[in-house]
Structure formats: C-alpha cells, structure tokens
Amino acid sequence: MTTPLESVAWIHGARDCSGTGDPLVQVHRMDRDTFVLRLSKCYSFEANFLYLLLGRERALLLDTGARPDAGARDRALPLRRTVDELVTGWAAERGVPEPELVVAHTHAHGDHVSGDDQFTDRPRTRVVAPTLAAVTGFFGLPDWPEGRAGLDLGGRELSVVPLPGHEPTHVAVHDPRTRALFTGDTLYPGLLTVRDWPAYRRSAARLADLVRQEEVSVVLGAHVEMTSTPGVLYPLGTTWQPDEHPLPLTAAHVLELHEACEAMAGAPHVDVHDSFVIQPLAADGAPSGSPPGA
Ligand SMILES: [Zn+2]
Ligand SMILES: [Zn+2]
C-alpha cells in the first residue's frame, strides 16, 4: 500500500534550517513505476516537486530543481545519486535491464533545470536542453503551440502538450497509467505568474480540452505556495510551511483555471481562488491589475 498523495507528510522546511534532520530530497513512491521527489525548503525556498516515471525502455525525469539559496547549509543536492538508486532499484525489483534516462523539463526557469549538469556524464542518458528548438524537436511538436506528442517509455505512453504563457517552452505531461497530469508552474497550489497572457489563456483552454477528453484524476504541479486556508498564500521566499495546501489538484481545478481565464479575457488581473492565485505580469514583470477590492 502506498500513501495517497493528498495525505503524504512532505518535508516543508524548518523554522531553523540549521537544526533540521530532514533530507534534501524526499522520495515518495506514488505507484510501482512512479516517484515524486520533493526538494527541501532548507536547500531552496522553491522546494520543487520533481517526477520520475519509469517504463521498460525509458525513464523520464521531469525537472531537476533549483540552485541552493544563498544561505543554504547544504549546497550539493544529491539528485543524481537519488535518481540512480531509484532506477537501479526499480530494475532489480523487476529483474529487467535498467531503462535509459530522459531528463526533460516542464519549462526552462532556473528552479527546474539547475540539476541538469549532474546528468550530463551519465551513461544512456539524454538531457533535453531547455530551449524551444530542443523541446519541439525532441518531443516532435512541429505545430507548437498546437498539437500533442507521444512519448513512449516502453509499455507506458505519455502525452506531451504545449503550455506556453508562464514561460515560452512550458509543457504539460499526461500519464494515462496513473491518470496524472503534470502541470509544472502553469497550475499548482500557489502563485501562478503569467508573462504572456494570450498564450497562457490558450494554454488553459488546451489543458481544459485535455481533461475533458482524457481521464485525469490528479493534477500535479511543481510547487506548493498556498496555505491550507483558502485563498491565502505563503509570502514569496518562505522556508517553513507547516500548514501548506496539499500537492494534488484535480481536473476541476483545470476547468476552474480555464473559466477564470475566459472570464478575464482581454483584461487580466490578479485573481484569487481557493487553491491558486493567477497573477498576470506586465511586460516589465510588475503585476498587472489588482484583485477586486484590494
Ligand atoms: Zn517557472
Ligand atoms: Zn518553478
């Protein structure tokens, strides 16, 4: 029996990071072939969630995490070692050869790609560069941002969907096996910053189409920044979140995001929901518009 995702006790930083015995990387086995890795808030306040999906031929590591914060005590993230142990252990458990490893990203922001260099010398490993040319070329998305691509892990076919708006190379990954939709920084329980509003609005529509067409029982993003109080965020840079929102969202949240984007249409503004906050940014990076009543 594995713990359901909504009741996993995640590491969530510490009041005093110098005194914590938490690991830098927490591993949760979501099912036989799927692992969720959470990075410590005492390493980086971003505390990214990374995902490792295994198939007979190939394993996919989605994102490689952040650089250490300036004041972090431990500066070397044991990501490569953790992934190697998981892949080796998985293959041994099944009595099969180790699958090759694909290291790819939800998008190119620094907190999602900074561990890439740990994998550059790994045998039988492909690190997909976080550029639009490399992403569209590797997955096979010639009509970006339209279309979908398949990624066959060997007995496990994933679907990759263009999702620009938060960042220009952003993708979502759908896994029919676990009915999970991995949404990176486009949708997670936190502050959803939007740099290209028209692109983000179309991406939200594309994501809504997907959850109407496919089975999606869990929506997994890359961070948790909401508290367990509806509509209330932890401040940016928080390194202790004792009362954080659960990681998993649902297909209903995808539809809620789409509806919110359509309601704002051409006049985007800060829009507070129970489980996420949409924050469109102006070209200079400043928030555009204000929340109603704020
Ligand atoms: Zn991002
Ligand atoms: Zn991020």
Side-chain angles (χ1 to χ4, degrees):
M1 275 295 285
T2 51
T3 311
L5 266 179
E6 56 275 14
S7 40
V8 175
W10 297 109
I11 55 172
H12 52 260
R15 199 196 296 266
D16 173 9
C17 278
S18 67
T20 175
D22 283 351
L24 291 186
V25 182
Q26 176 185 7
V27 176
H28 170 71
R29 191 167 199 169
M30 191 172 137
D31 75 358
R32 231 161 86 98
D33 310 317
T34 311
F35 296 88
V36 185
L37 281 58
R38 189 181 205 183
L39 308 190
S40 170
K41 276 198 162 275
C42 292
Y43 171 79
S44 162
F45 74 87
E46 300 278 10
N48 291 61
F49 290 88
L50 322 179
Y51 299 93
L52 179 66
L53 286 65
L54 294 115
R56 278 198 311 273
E57 312 285 331
R58 213 151 287 115
L60 171 68
L61 175 64
L62 195 57
D63 290 345
T64 61
R67 288 189 200 296
D69 290 342
R73 186 184 58 175
D74 298 300
R75 310 194 61 79
L77 189 69
L79 180 62
R80 163 78 180 272
R81 194 183 75 215
T82 303
V83 169
D84 283 355
E85 285 172 2
L86 291 173
V87 172
T88 303
W90 178 89
E93 190 181 289
R94 293 184 148 236
V96 297
E98 285 191 22
E100 59 181 49
L101 180 66
V102 172
V103 177
H105 312 93
T106 57
H107 65 294
H109 281 155
D111 56 310
H112 299 257
V113 305
S114 290
D116 281 17
D117 54 2
Q118 297 190 26
F119 295 91
T120 45
D121 65 347
R122 189 182 187 277
R124 302 182 62 238
T125 298
R126 168 79 184 260
V127 180
V128 182
T131 64
L132 194 56
V135 169
T136 56
F138 176 78
F139 290 117
L141 290 163
D143 300 322
W144 182 277
E146 302 305 323
R148 279 183 211 172
L151 177 64
D152 187 3
L153 301 183
R156 185 176 191 181
E157 177 92 18
L158 308 176
S159 179
V160 179
V161 184
L163 213 62
H166 169 76
E167 191 277 338
T169 70
H170 204 304
V171 295
V173 175
H174 177 237
D175 175 26
R177 165 89 67 85
T178 53
R179 298 190 212 100
L181 178 61
F182 301 96
T183 49
D185 282 4
T186 295
L187 176 58
Y188 66 92
L191 185 65
L192 310 179
T193 57
V194 181
R195 283 175 179 77
D196 180 340
W197 177 256
Y200 188 87
R201 189 180 162 197
R202 284 197 299 275
S203 289
R206 219 173 283 118
L207 218 47
D209 284 345
L210 187 144
V211 305
R212 287 190 197 101
Q213 293 159 6
E214 312 286 344
E215 277 197 273
V216 173
S217 57
V218 64
V219 174
L220 298 172
H223 305 275
V224 172
E225 295 158 359
M226 300 301 290
T227 68
S228 61
T229 305
V232 178
L233 283 158
Y234 280 106
L236 186 71
T238 297
T239 54
W240 187 46
Q241 295 189 171
D243 193 27
E244 64 183 14
H245 190 291
L247 167 67
L249 296 176
T250 64
H253 291 108
V254 173
L255 300 176
E256 183 180 343
L257 177 71
H258 173 51
E259 268 176 38
C261 290
E262 290 310 301
M264 287 190 269
H269 54 78
V270 176
D271 192 24
V272 179
H273 293 247
D274 283 358
S275 295
F276 54 85
V277 177
I278 306 170
Q279 183 179 319
L281 301 177
D284 62 0
S288 59
S290 303

